[in-house]
Amino acid sequence: FLREDIDEEVAKLLELKAQLGDDGKTQFVLKTPKGTRDYNPKQMAIREKVFNTIIRCFKRHGAETIDTPVFELKETLTGKYGEDSKLIYDLKDQGGELLSLRYDLTVPFARYLAMNKITNIKRYHIAKVYRRDNPAMTRGRYREFYQCDFDIAGQYDAMIPDAECLKIVHEILNELDLGDFRIKVNDRRILDGMFAVCGVPDDKFRTICSTVDKLDKMSWEDVKKEMVNEKGLSEEAADQIGEYVSMQGGMDLAERLLQDHKMSQSKQACAGLSDIKLLFKYLQLFHVTDKVVFDLSLARGLDYYTGVIYEAVLTQAGTVSAANEAQNDTNAEESVSVGSVAGGGRYDGLVGMFDPKGRRVPCVGVSIGIERIFSIMEQKAEASPQKVRTTEVQIMVASAQKNLLEERLQLISELWNAGIKAELMYKKNPKLLSQLQYCEEAGIPLVAILGEQELKDGVVKLRVVATREEVDISRADLISEIKRRTEA
Amino acid sequence: FLREDIDEEVAKLLELKAQLGDDGKTQFVLKTPKGTRDYNPKQMAIREKVFNTIIRCFKRHGAETIDTPVFELKETLTGKYGEDSKLIYDLKDQGGELLSLRYDLTVPFARYLAMNKITNIKRYHIAKVYRRDNPAMTRGRYREFYQCDFDIAGQYDAMIPDAECLKIVHEILNELDLGDFRIKVNDRRILDGMFAVCGVPDDKFRTICSTVDKLDKMSWEDVKKEMVNEKGLSEEAADQIGEYVSMQGGMDLAERLLQDHKMSQSKQACAGLSDIKLLFKYLQLFHVTDKVVFDLSLARGLDYYTGVIYEAVLTQAGTVSAANEAQNDTNAEESVSVGSVAGGGRYDGLVGMFDPKGRRVPCVGVSIGIERIFSIMEQKAEASPQKVRTTEVQIMVASAQKNLLEERLQLISELWNAGIKAELMYKKNPKLLSQLQYCEEAGIPLVAILGEQELKDGVVKLRVVATREEVDISRADLISEIKRRTEA
């Protein structure tokens, strides 16, 4: 039993109890579906900030954006995700087409390219995807979650778009200021070549690859056990794989492996290694090699990758989430990495699977693991003394005396029409104190106070919430004064 | 047979033909599910513009935002939509909870309030909703579509939040510049009171109400027929309803009906009429009464409304969509209105349906009918000579000679790091002409050209695409020069 399993069982029992109610009758269950959550205004404010940073980066790199439906024809998703296909949500057959919720944004993107015969595009797509996985909400693993994808489709010279994808990951993780990170790089052709020269039978490449993929969660001993006992690989082959997958380095490692007497026997591996060398050359020009590691243990789960693959991990265990994770770990090494926050790779065959004539459109892309990033940003916000504002309201229109609702409505209407963000309390005669308190709570910096005297004088009393300073401003100057005081 | 029915039949047959293929074998169908569509980059650029206008308005009025999952427990949606419940998409039972895709954003909002015991909030929510309706894509009716909702929850003084909702509709439709519009207003209590005094039996209020709701699509004669023949109402009662639902006016009509010997017998109707009067008073202070009509034929379909209801329609038939619609019309009057672009009302009982103790949270809100607005904006963009840009790229990094890829990569990296939006072609040796052509097509205003001479001199040749003017700029000044030339 893991801690989270127990939590889940407890939640189930509590739910059953709630359904029974006091008198044993079935009651209504007030919850979101398993593995999903609402975002409250504070979470949304943080989410908006993170999205803006990411979108700004994607736009800086010249990406357009597209959108696709949340569900696809079931057959569109069939045969694209290997062992993970069982996690796809299907819609009920209510007469008509058989539909499934999208599992990622990559397959719908490939479908879109083939359907519209597009051979060149650089696009980003930020949207929710759905996986009937075992949720682990404390680790930021949900059944409904956002993906932020950037992809470059087109027949181009080797490794130039690939290097840009890594530059983007580097820019985003830097700008979000999440602490130190590493970007691991490998190539599916190197993995396949390695499997071949280590004596893995051809028909076991994919399944052995998905076992290697577990190295970030399991020790080598356990991975080897799975290879030998469950997947029927010879112990000798497993040991040879074990030697390779422990290797990490940079361009030098790629050069060394190109000379390796075993690895160099595989044409595929050599093609992959040459591309890794070229990639590192471009990454040097981008000044990002300090964070990039060529790591032969990186496998990535999805079936559709054909070339370079990569994954970014945060290496600082400075957050609550990291601490939680460390507690759950059986493997001490794991506490160093708080998990993947971005990943991607090259998939040159996927679009061709959709094209009636099998025309290929080479693609490379990256997906930002936004949910983990949210979790970390949320914890940072909690820990910070600064309050997260959930609105951008500049001013509250208040009254000091009774019977001034009409005057408040007239004034706020003028402010809205001038583009000022303004609120008033929906009461005929609110107390001045409660209006001021509302401003304190909501972080509204200014109050426009109306009273009999102010109306007579053609002015508004402008109060600065933080300093309690008050000045009379003529109605004619009010809008420019508010703008002057609130525009950052 | 309607034109759109025939179109649908043709589409089905073509699909069948495609599945059979040339050799009679079943082939893959490359399409999005029925009633859904992809958005291409151009559509997304327009969509982003419309969303920004709407969100800016919601924020100006001090709204926070929340998000909820795309699916809810099936029972959360049960009993909320009356006759329309049959249009809800269910998920397949794959073990676990029974789930349905959300049908609107209002019911999830009410569930959110009850679940979190929130009694006061002003929030907006922009997200997709799902209805297994008969799609009419040319009219902007889809099975997956966006809703943009703004709601105010809380126990407040009468009609103040309600008036703000109408002010918001007025601001948004003005700012989007879609042509003239009307906002029809009515109240469920006036409708119910009217039904009572006209002799409609209590148990027929809802069904007669949903027939009245068809008055914007059907003539009064057909509506009356449905009431009498299908719903079993007496001809006399129907005729009395007919007299009321032909009435339109402003505050004066509300005053007149308060004196009406029949209508004034209903307490409910009087409460509604008094609130309409108050609403108009506040709308006068907001200076929006020119667009607002008190219209007794407005019914709105949804079950959950309890008080004021409203709907905005565009009154200019200046668009292609309006022309299409006019062709399909049997009723000539209809061509005047291109259909509803916003709607909403008060629903004081919905949150209580979710609260275990039935605690009520009064709510009022408005939903912007964004899909019709998209259609209109798209047609406007098509008709305009100005090209829609799908990226914001400021500069392309180009080379005039061969073998300068490394120099291009280095320069573009500097630009990205300085926040400049920049692209380069993913070729080792692209032709200068093709680089310049790319800029023309994508609307990129500047090109930074690198050549041997420029590198030697420590400069970049900056070319203005529109004028073909070229100047040498030192590398040190390049970034500020680009910013100066492209910041609007």
Side-chain angles (χ1 to χ4, degrees):
Chain A
F1 262 115
L2 287 173
R3 264 164 57 121
E4 58 192 276
D5 291 334
I6 295 170
D7 287 349
E8 225 170 84
E9 288 302 315
V10 169
K12 271 188 208 161
L13 289 171
L14 287 175
E15 195 179 303
L16 265 175
K17 191 180 148 204
Q19 279 179 37
L20 285 171
D22 291 338
D23 48 5
K25 275 190 291 186
T26 304
Q27 281 192 353
F28 190 80
V29 184
L30 210 52
K31 67 185 282 290
T32 61
K34 182 179 174 186
T36 70
R37 58 168 165 176
D38 298 316
Y39 285 84
N40 66 34
K42 217 171 178 177
Q43 292 168 319
M44 287 298 280
I46 293 166
R47 186 173 116 176
E48 199 178 305
K49 216 182 115 196
V50 175
F51 277 161
N52 283 344
T53 303
I54 292 171
I55 291 172
R56 220 183 305 123
C57 176
F58 290 162
K59 286 191 172 178
R60 196 158 57 232
H61 287 262
E64 308 175 298
T65 186
I66 67 161
D67 196 17
T68 64
V70 81
F71 42 65
E72 295 276 344
L73 298 185
K74 187 175 165 57
E75 59 180 353
T76 300
L77 307 190
T78 304
K80 308 300 184 305
Y81 301 107
E83 292 177 7
D84 290 342
S85 294
K86 62 181 185 298
L87 303 180
I88 293 173
Y89 276 99
D90 292 330
L91 268 73
K92 192 168 151 184
D93 183 358
Q94 293 171 290
E97 300 159 331
L98 291 181
L99 307 174
S100 300
L101 296 185
R102 62 183 163 209
Y103 184 83
D104 66 7
L105 302 176
T106 310
V107 167
F109 175 54
R111 191 266 307 148
Y112 172 83
L113 295 186
M115 188 171 135
N116 296 288
K117 298 190 172 47
I118 294 166
T119 55
N120 285 290
I121 192 171
K122 180 162 56 182
R123 81 90 182 79
Y124 70 90
H125 189 184
I126 297 187
K128 287 175 177 177
V129 302
Y130 299 87
R131 301 185 182 181
R132 288 179 52 256
D133 216 334
N134 238 346
M137 329 254 281
T138 48
R139 296 184 186 206
R141 196 166 77 224
Y142 293 88
R143 290 183 156 196
E144 172 186 63
F145 58 98
Y146 268 96
Q147 285 200 333
C148 300
D149 280 20
F150 172 97
D151 294 82
I152 301 172
Q155 184 67 60
Y156 299 120
D157 284 333
M159 291 298 114
I160 312 178
D162 312 61
E164 184 169 1
C165 288
L166 295 183
K167 171 80 168 105
I168 282 174
V169 174
H170 195 272
E171 284 179 25
I172 289 173
L173 293 183
N174 255 331
E175 219 174 316
L176 288 175
D177 197 19
L178 301 167
D180 205 12
F181 59 89
R182 284 285 163 283
I183 307 174
K184 301 181 199 171
V185 178
N186 199 2
D187 193 297
R188 268 288 163 90
R189 292 165 297 172
I190 299 174
L191 283 165
D192 284 351
M194 173 181 87
F195 293 144
V197 301
C198 291
V200 178
D202 282 16
D203 61 340
K204 286 201 170 138
F205 278 18
R206 277 287 161 275
T207 185
I208 292 298
C209 189
S210 74
T211 304
V212 168
D213 192 38
K214 296 178 183 166
L215 270 173
D216 60 340
K217 289 180 213 110
M218 277 159 55
S219 68
W220 165 249
E221 285 66 38
D222 291 338
V223 165
K224 184 182 161 183
K225 248 182 244 165
E226 185 176 313
M227 286 180 177
V228 176
N229 300 343
E230 288 176 39
K231 312 241 159 141
L233 195 66
S234 74
E235 188 137 348
E236 198 198 338
D239 284 335
Q240 289 185 37
I241 292 172
E243 252 174 68
Y244 282 119
V245 296
S246 69
M247 293 180 183
Q248 293 193 348
M251 197 191 270
D252 53 315
L253 175 59
E255 275 162 357
R256 225 169 59 228
L257 286 171
L258 273 171
Q259 310 303 325
D260 182 272
H261 73 281
K262 231 171 29 202
M263 199 66 118
S264 58
Q265 287 164 20
S266 159
K267 258 194 186 168
Q268 266 206 301
C270 291
L273 290 164
S274 303
D275 274 351
I276 290 281
K277 271 182 65 184
L278 193 57
L279 177 68
F280 267 92
K281 185 173 134 194
Y282 296 153
L283 294 178
Q284 274 165 7
L285 296 165
F286 287 159
H287 297 288
V288 297
T289 41
D290 57 320
K291 308 285 188 196
V292 183
V293 191
F294 172 33
D295 182 329
L296 276 92
S297 74
L298 178 70
R300 294 197 54 77
L302 297 167
D303 261 15
Y304 48 62
Y305 291 118
T306 54
V308 64
I309 49 178
Y310 33 80
E311 194 165 287
V313 291
L314 300 182
T315 52
Q316 280 183 335
T319 63
V320 182
S321 150
N324 278 345
E325 213 149 358
Q327 283 177 10
N328 288 329
D329 281 343
T330 45
N331 179 351
E333 280 176 326
E334 250 196 275
S335 63
V336 179
S337 130
V338 297
S340 162
V341 288
R346 179 161 280 284
Y347 49 102
D348 288 348
L350 191 58
V351 179
M353 288 173 75
F354 288 105
D355 189 278
K357 292 185 180 151
R359 274 167 300 211
R360 286 160 68 92
V361 178
C363 295
V364 64
V366 63
S367 184
I368 309 294
I370 195 73
E371 301 296 341
R372 265 171 194 275
I373 293 174
F374 283 150
S375 305
I376 297 168
M377 299 292 275
E378 253 185 278
Q379 285 152 9
K380 273 177 116 175
E382 287 297 327
S384 154
Q386 231 188 333
K387 229 170 132 181
V388 178
R389 276 199 75 182
T390 56
T391 75
E392 299 166 13
V393 174
Q394 297 163 289
I395 193 160
M396 154 152 282
V397 174
S399 55
Q401 288 123 8
K402 285 200 169 184
N403 301 321
L404 293 174
L405 172 61
E406 295 186 19
E407 289 74 10
R408 279 191 292 138
L409 290 176
Q410 231 160 356
L411 176 58
I412 201 166
S413 180
E414 281 172 38
L415 298 183
W416 286 331
N417 291 345
I420 304 280
K421 294 171 197 132
E423 277 194 283
L424 87 178
M425 293 193 81
Y426 302 122
K427 297 274 175 192
K428 274 193 234 167
N429 297 308
K431 288 186 186 128
L432 184 59
L433 189 66
S434 64
Q435 295 172 86
L436 296 177
Q437 271 171 350
Y438 182 87
C439 292
E440 300 258 12
E441 279 158 29
I444 301 172
L446 298 174
V447 196
I449 304 175
L450 287 174
E452 297 293 349
Q453 192 58 48
E454 285 82 13
L455 287 166
K456 217 176 286 168
D457 299 346
V459 299
V460 163
K461 200 178 282 308
L462 196 67
R463 180 184 169 111
V464 179
V465 175
T467 62
R468 299 177 185 195
E469 163 212 350
E470 292 184 347
V471 295
D472 283 354
I473 307 282
S474 81
R475 289 288 283 251
D477 297 336
L478 182 62
I479 284 160
S480 58
E481 185 65 23
I482 297 169
K483 285 188 178 165
R484 194 182 66 73
R485 283 170 183 259
T486 53
E487 257 149 38
Chain B
F1 262 115
L2 286 173
R3 267 164 55 120
E4 60 192 274
D5 291 333
I6 295 169
D7 288 350
E8 223 169 87
E9 287 304 314
V10 169
K12 270 187 207 161
L13 289 171
L14 287 175
E15 195 179 302
L16 264 174
K17 192 182 147 203
Q19 279 178 35
L20 285 169
D22 292 337
D23 47 4
K25 274 190 291 184
T26 304
Q27 280 191 354
F28 191 80
V29 185
L30 211 51
K31 66 185 284 290
T32 62
K34 181 179 175 186
T36 70
R37 58 169 165 177
D38 298 316
Y39 284 84
N40 65 35
K42 218 172 178 178
Q43 292 168 320
M44 288 298 281
I46 294 166
R47 184 172 119 177
E48 199 177 306
K49 217 181 115 195
V50 176
F51 277 161
N52 284 344
T53 302
I54 293 171
I55 291 172
R56 220 183 307 123
C57 177
F58 291 161
K59 285 191 172 175
R60 195 158 58 231
H61 288 263
E64 309 176 297
T65 187
I66 68 161
D67 196 16
T68 65
V70 82
F71 42 64
E72 295 275 345
L73 298 185
K74 187 174 165 58
E75 59 180 354
T76 299
L77 306 190
T78 303
K80 308 302 186 303
Y81 301 106
E83 292 177 9
D84 290 342
S85 293
K86 62 181 183 299
L87 303 180
I88 293 173
Y89 277 98
D90 292 330
L91 268 74
K92 190 168 152 186
D93 183 359
Q94 294 170 289
E97 300 159 330
L98 292 181
L99 306 175
S100 300
L101 297 185
R102 62 183 163 209
Y103 183 83
D104 65 7
L105 302 177
T106 311
V107 168
F109 175 55
R111 191 267 306 148
Y112 173 82
L113 295 186
M115 189 174 135
N116 296 289
K117 299 190 173 49
I118 294 166
T119 56
N120 286 289
I121 192 171
K122 179 161 57 183
R123 81 89 181 79
Y124 71 90
H125 189 186
I126 297 185
K128 287 175 176 176
V129 302
Y130 299 86
R131 300 184 183 180
R132 288 180 52 256
D133 216 334
N134 238 346
M137 328 254 279
T138 49
R139 296 183 187 209
R141 196 166 77 224
Y142 293 87
R143 289 182 157 197
E144 172 187 61
F145 58 97
Y146 267 97
Q147 285 200 333
C148 301
D149 281 20
F150 172 96
D151 294 82
I152 301 173
Q155 184 68 58
Y156 298 121
D157 285 332
M159 292 297 115
I160 312 177
D162 312 61
E164 184 168 3
C165 288
L166 294 183
K167 172 78 168 106
I168 282 174
V169 174
H170 194 274
E171 284 179 24
I172 288 173
L173 294 182
N174 255 330
E175 217 175 317
L176 288 175
D177 198 19
L178 301 167
D180 204 13
F181 59 90
R182 284 286 162 283
I183 308 174
K184 301 181 199 169
V185 178
N186 198 2
D187 193 297
R188 269 288 163 90
R189 292 165 297 171
I190 299 175
L191 283 164
D192 284 351
M194 175 182 86
F195 294 143
V197 301
C198 292
V200 178
D202 283 16
D203 61 341
K204 287 202 169 135
F205 278 18
R206 277 285 161 277
T207 184
I208 292 298
C209 189
S210 75
T211 305
V212 169
D213 191 38
K214 295 178 183 167
L215 270 173
D216 60 339
K217 286 179 215 113
M218 277 159 55
S219 69
W220 166 249
E221 285 66 38
D222 291 339
V223 165
K224 184 182 162 185
K225 247 182 245 164
E226 186 176 311
M227 286 180 178
V228 176
N229 300 344
E230 286 177 41
K231 312 242 160 139
L233 196 65
S234 73
E235 188 137 347
E236 198 199 336
D239 284 334
Q240 289 185 36
I241 292 172
E243 254 175 67
Y244 283 118
V245 297
S246 68
M247 293 179 182
Q248 292 194 348
M251 196 191 270
D252 54 315
L253 175 59
E255 275 161 357
R256 225 169 61 226
L257 286 171
L258 275 170
Q259 310 302 325
D260 182 273
H261 73 282
K262 233 172 27 203
M263 199 67 117
S264 59
Q265 287 165 20
S266 160
K267 257 193 186 168
Q268 266 206 300
C270 291
L273 289 163
S274 303
D275 273 351
I276 291 281
K277 271 182 65 182
L278 192 57
L279 177 66
F280 268 91
K281 185 174 133 193
Y282 295 153
L283 295 179
Q284 274 165 6
L285 297 165
F286 287 160
H287 297 288
V288 297
T289 41
D290 58 319
K291 308 287 190 195
V292 183
V293 191
F294 172 31
D295 183 330
L296 275 91
S297 75
L298 178 70
R300 293 197 55 77
L302 296 168
D303 261 15
Y304 47 63
Y305 291 119
T306 55
V308 65
I309 49 177
Y310 32 81
E311 194 164 287
V313 291
L314 300 183
T315 52
Q316 281 182 335
T319 63
V320 182
S321 150
N324 277 347
E325 211 146 0
Q327 282 177 10
N328 287 329
D329 281 346
T330 46
N331 180 349
E333 283 177 325
E334 248 198 276
S335 63
V336 180
S337 129
V338 296
S340 161
V341 288
R346 179 162 281 284
Y347 49 102
D348 288 349
L350 190 58
V351 178
M353 289 173 74
F354 289 104
D355 190 278
K357 293 185 179 151
R359 273 166 301 212
R360 287 159 68 92
V361 178
C363 295
V364 65
V366 63
S367 184
I368 308 295
I370 195 72
E371 301 296 340
R372 266 171 191 276
I373 293 173
F374 283 151
S375 306
I376 297 168
M377 300 292 276
E378 253 185 279
Q379 285 153 11
K380 274 177 114 176
E382 287 298 326
S384 155
Q386 231 188 332
K387 228 169 130 183
V388 178
R389 276 199 75 182
T390 56
T391 76
E392 300 167 11
V393 173
Q394 297 163 289
I395 193 160
M396 153 152 283
V397 174
S399 56
Q401 287 124 8
K402 286 198 166 183
N403 301 321
L404 293 173
L405 172 62
E406 295 187 19
E407 288 74 10
R408 280 190 292 139
L409 290 175
Q410 231 160 357
L411 175 57
I412 201 166
S413 179
E414 279 172 37
L415 298 184
W416 286 331
N417 292 345
I420 305 281
K421 295 171 195 132
E423 278 193 282
L424 87 176
M425 294 192 79
Y426 302 122
K427 296 274 174 193
K428 274 193 234 165
N429 296 309
K431 289 187 184 126
L432 185 59
L433 190 65
S434 63
Q435 295 174 85
L436 296 177
Q437 270 170 350
Y438 182 88
C439 291
E440 300 259 13
E441 281 157 28
I444 301 172
L446 298 173
V447 197
I449 304 175
L450 288 173
E452 296 294 350
Q453 192 58 48
E454 284 81 12
L455 287 166
K456 217 177 285 166
D457 299 346
V459 300
V460 163
K461 200 178 282 307
L462 197 66
R463 179 183 170 112
V464 179
V465 175
T467 62
R468 298 178 184 193
E469 161 211 351
E470 292 185 346
V471 296
D472 282 355
I473 308 282
S474 80
R475 289 288 283 251
D477 297 336
L478 183 62
I479 284 159
S480 58
E481 185 64 21
I482 297 169
K483 285 188 178 166
R484 196 181 64 74
R485 283 172 183 259
T486 54
E487 257 150 37

